[in-house]
Amino acid sequence: MEIKVRTGQLHTEDRPLIVVSLFEGAAECSGATDMVDKALHGQIRRLMREGDITGQARETALIYTAESIPALRVLVVGLGKEESFGLEAIRIASATAAQRVRELKLRSFGSMIHGAGWNDLPLEDAAQAVVEGAELALYQFRELKSSAEDDPKPVVSLALVVPDAHQVAAAQEGAAIGQHIAAAANLARDLVNRPSNHATPAALARHAQAMAGEPGMTCTVLDEAEMAALGMGSLLGVAQGSDEPAKFIILEYNAGREHMDTLALVGKGITFDSGGISLKAAQKMQGCKGDMAGAAAVLEAMRVAARLQLPLHIVGLIPSTENMPSGKACKPGDVVRAMNGKTIEVVNTDAEGRLILADALAYALRYRPQAIIDLATLTNAIAVALGHQAAGLFSNDDDLAARLDAAGRTSHERVWRLPLFEEYRRQLKSDVADLKNCGSEPAGAITAAVFLQQFVDDLPWAHLDIAGRAFASTDEDEPFTPYSPSMATGFGVRLLVQFLRDWVNSPPHRHATKRW
Ligand code: BES
Ligand code: ZN
Ligand code: ZN
């Protein structure tokens, strides 16, 4: 969608529709909504008094203007209660409006920047949220549909109107950031929604290689022989049952630049998780094409980092393979050796994510990063614990955990921390190897994280289990935000970008280098 920021009065905007907004229970209209209401001779106020417009979140009222202003339609969208107002309410209002515009089959609309001028909310952030809400809400996965039937015409143009010329720069800046972020999140959704016969490990590698066109980005892809030479026996153990060759993707941004913090981002890239020899039941196999949502988030967040030219050295590591049963496949009880030399008894081949991440985390240590963050659709257990509202956060570093928590609140891709108590390690004791890949049933998400911890030494590390957040529930009782239509959510892109931007704005206090 083309997004323009303009100075002027919204009610003079010549578009098929303009969007204004108000708080729930507001006695009066204010700002741009007030100006539009006056131009409409008090029509919005009349409808408020009648109770047609209440300002509830997700409420819309369509008013036909009968030529009192250039726009034929005014859409009034609710912002919800002022007490709970913030960036998320802006995203939801903007998403609701954009979807209504699409339903009306309109190609273009104008809008105020919801929340502009409210308390000390920066205009830049409000503009970013408006753009994110609209762009994310209009996402559709249509690339494999051969007919244009039922294809709503895309909304192609949005004008954001600000009253003062001196506001344009901030609004433009925020809108541009919002566009980069939303476009990347939508590309991550494409990767996750794309079926496994299209999105193979090789296809994922090509996607990453194409990203090397972004400024500062380089990409290296290791094949199975190169992984074997590095001793990645844990990853190769998962890959050996599949006919699709595995790939280890290394996407690097600002490689070799001095005086920049190094952050390693690791994403689980299982392009299809059948469970392997520990085969999943048929119903549980649905959606397993999306077991690379962590990889998609890492790759696309890095695209945004490059577009925003963040002064960071970022290493994206994606171990990618299918998890398939075959005569060559890893069998329960087999023992593999990871790159750090640890031996692992594979008691369940469906706990494959942690096996491929083990080698990727061990590889990440080579860069001596200031922080390692991995994202993975790792366990069903995390969805049992947190449902679809938050990703599980596990970390050996309180500062890193706090940063991810803060970024989650700002982006509304929220995380919730769970413990890594030493005692959980007992559940992973093996009779034959250094550890086994899964333990007894309780605390399944935690024992998975404890397993990963065995591969990061003592470097600051955080693991995000996104299995409950990567896919939008289609359950009617559990509606998702309007800006996350069904299937892939693109979770992680907005969270990571916020985390990286915050890191740049306030890097952690640096401790004096230890001398030995
Ligand atoms: N990729 C799955 C977890 C998953 C399931 C993510 C459904 C998203 C939707 C993972 O590889 C897996 O199979 N985990 C097992 C682990 C168990 C065998 C210890 C699980 O959670 O059941
Ligand atoms: Zn699995
Ligand atoms: Zn999996």
Side-chain angles (χ1 to χ4, degrees):
M1 185 157 63
E2 185 199 39
I3 297 177
K4 279 200 195 124
V5 177
R6 261 195 359 92
T7 318
Q9 299 303 332
L10 188 55
H11 62 272
T12 63
E13 186 71 20
D14 189 6
R15 297 259 170 176
L17 182 148
I18 55 171
V19 182
V20 295
S21 57
L22 44 83
F23 286 120
E24 183 173 348
E28 281 300 323
C29 308
S30 60
T33 310
D34 181 51
M35 303 280 272
V36 172
D37 178 62
K38 290 205 168 98
L40 295 180
H41 312 295
Q43 183 74 339
I44 297 177
R45 275 185 178 79
R46 253 195 311 278
L47 289 168
M48 285 164 73
R49 277 199 299 276
E50 290 290 315
D52 290 36
I53 297 178
T54 68
Q56 259 176 32
R58 307 207 55 183
E59 176 193 82
T60 56
L62 186 63
I63 300 172
Y64 287 92
T65 62
E67 294 184 3
S68 44
I69 60 174
L72 177 59
R73 306 165 190 84
V74 170
L75 186 71
V76 186
V77 60
L79 295 174
K81 294 205 169 72
E82 192 172 354
E83 303 91 86
S84 52
F85 186 69
L87 294 175
E88 181 62 1
I90 298 176
R91 284 183 206 104
I92 290 174
S94 177
T96 306
Q99 283 175 339
R100 196 83 174 84
V101 170
R102 181 166 64 189
E103 277 163 27
L104 290 164
K105 301 191 172 59
L106 304 176
R107 309 272 282 175
S108 124
F109 67 115
S111 177
M112 61 184 277
I113 297 177
H114 313 297
W118 181 79
N119 288 357
D120 52 2
L121 187 72
L123 181 64
E124 184 179 328
D125 296 355
Q128 182 189 330
V130 168
V131 171
E132 284 176 356
E135 292 276 26
L136 292 169
L138 294 174
Y139 173 80
Q140 301 182 86
F141 183 67
R142 294 198 56 88
E143 66 182 39
L144 299 172
K145 300 243 187 207
S146 52
S147 100
E149 225 177 283
D150 304 327
D151 183 10
K153 287 266 179 294
V155 185
V156 292
S157 163
L158 164 61
L160 296 177
V161 183
V162 292
D164 291 319
H166 72 263
Q167 297 175 314
V168 171
Q172 252 162 0
E173 178 74 14
I177 293 173
Q179 264 191 306
H180 286 308
I181 293 175
N186 284 339
L187 282 170
R189 289 170 170 183
D190 280 345
L191 284 173
V192 175
N193 287 332
R194 209 166 278 155
S196 72
N197 61 331
H198 293 249
T200 58
L204 207 56
R206 282 194 298 275
H207 184 90
Q209 271 159 334
M211 241 190 254
E214 303 283 348
M217 207 84 106
T218 50
C219 183
T220 312
V221 177
L222 307 185
D223 62 20
E224 292 184 2
E226 290 164 307
M227 291 182 237
L230 286 167
M232 294 183 166
S234 187
L235 166 48
L236 288 170
V238 176
Q240 74 193 37
S242 168
D243 289 342
E244 283 292 340
K247 303 287 173 192
F248 189 85
I249 304 165
I250 305 159
L251 186 66
E252 221 176 324
Y253 168 63
N254 281 338
R257 292 279 298 270
E258 278 177 27
H259 313 299
M260 280 189 190
D261 283 345
T262 299
L263 300 173
L265 304 177
V266 181
K268 173 177 174 183
I270 295 286
T271 57
F272 189 78
D273 182 10
S274 72
I277 297 295
S278 313
L279 196 65
K280 286 180 190 290
Q283 316 92 291
K284 293 211 167 164
M285 226 181 273
Q286 281 183 2
C288 285
K289 65 175 182 181
D291 208 13
M292 29 56 73
V298 166
L299 293 175
E300 291 303 327
M302 287 185 68
R303 186 195 299 276
V304 183
R307 295 262 164 97
L308 301 183
Q309 297 188 7
L310 297 184
L312 293 169
H313 172 215
I314 309 175
V315 184
L317 301 173
I318 311 293
S320 183
T321 174
E322 293 182 334
N323 183 24
M324 295 291 282
S326 85
K328 291 182 296 173
C330 177
K331 303 171 291 294
D334 287 0
V335 174
V336 294
R337 187 185 296 275
M339 193 182 158
N340 68 350
K342 289 199 176 161
T343 55
I344 306 162
E345 182 188 3
V346 181
V347 295
N348 188 327
T349 65
D350 198 10
E352 84 298 338
R354 59 198 81 181
L355 292 171
I356 67 167
L357 289 170
D359 279 331
L361 292 170
Y363 188 85
L365 301 182
R366 293 184 152 204
Y367 297 86
R368 301 308 297 168
Q370 272 69 46
I372 306 175
I373 302 171
D374 78 74
L375 280 81
T377 45
L378 207 62
T379 67
N380 274 310
I382 199 65
V384 174
L386 299 175
H388 301 293
Q389 306 308 327
L393 162 66
F394 304 84
S395 184
N396 57 6
D397 186 283
D398 290 344
D399 176 65
L400 183 57
R403 284 172 177 277
L404 285 163
D405 179 63
R409 288 170 199 267
T410 309
S411 62
H412 207 72
E413 290 198 326
R414 292 171 298 184
V415 299
W416 198 257
R417 194 173 180 184
L418 290 162
L420 290 169
F421 301 139
E422 177 62 34
E423 288 80 355
Y424 289 112
R425 174 74 177 79
R426 288 183 208 144
Q427 282 174 250
L428 298 176
K429 273 209 168 128
S430 163
D431 291 334
V432 296
D434 296 335
L435 74 168
K436 55 186 181 183
N437 75 329
C438 60
S440 48
E441 185 139 272
I446 298 177
T447 52
V450 169
F451 177 92
L452 297 179
Q453 193 180 8
Q454 310 308 309
F455 298 88
V456 293
D457 290 353
D458 284 329
L459 258 61
W461 155 81
H463 158 59
L464 296 168
D465 192 340
I466 63 169
R469 279 296 275 108
F471 316 101
S473 154
T474 44
D475 188 344
E476 289 292 319
D477 294 338
E478 217 183 338
F480 260 68
T481 60
Y483 65 81
S484 201
S486 62
M487 308 195 292
T489 60
F491 183 91
V493 174
R494 294 191 300 116
L495 170 70
L496 286 177
V497 171
Q498 190 62 46
F499 168 84
L500 296 170
R501 293 176 69 203
D502 291 348
W503 186 290
V504 170
N505 290 333
S506 55
H509 173 70
R510 232 167 279 295
H511 303 286
T513 343
K514 278 185 196 154
R515 286 175 191 279
W516 302 99

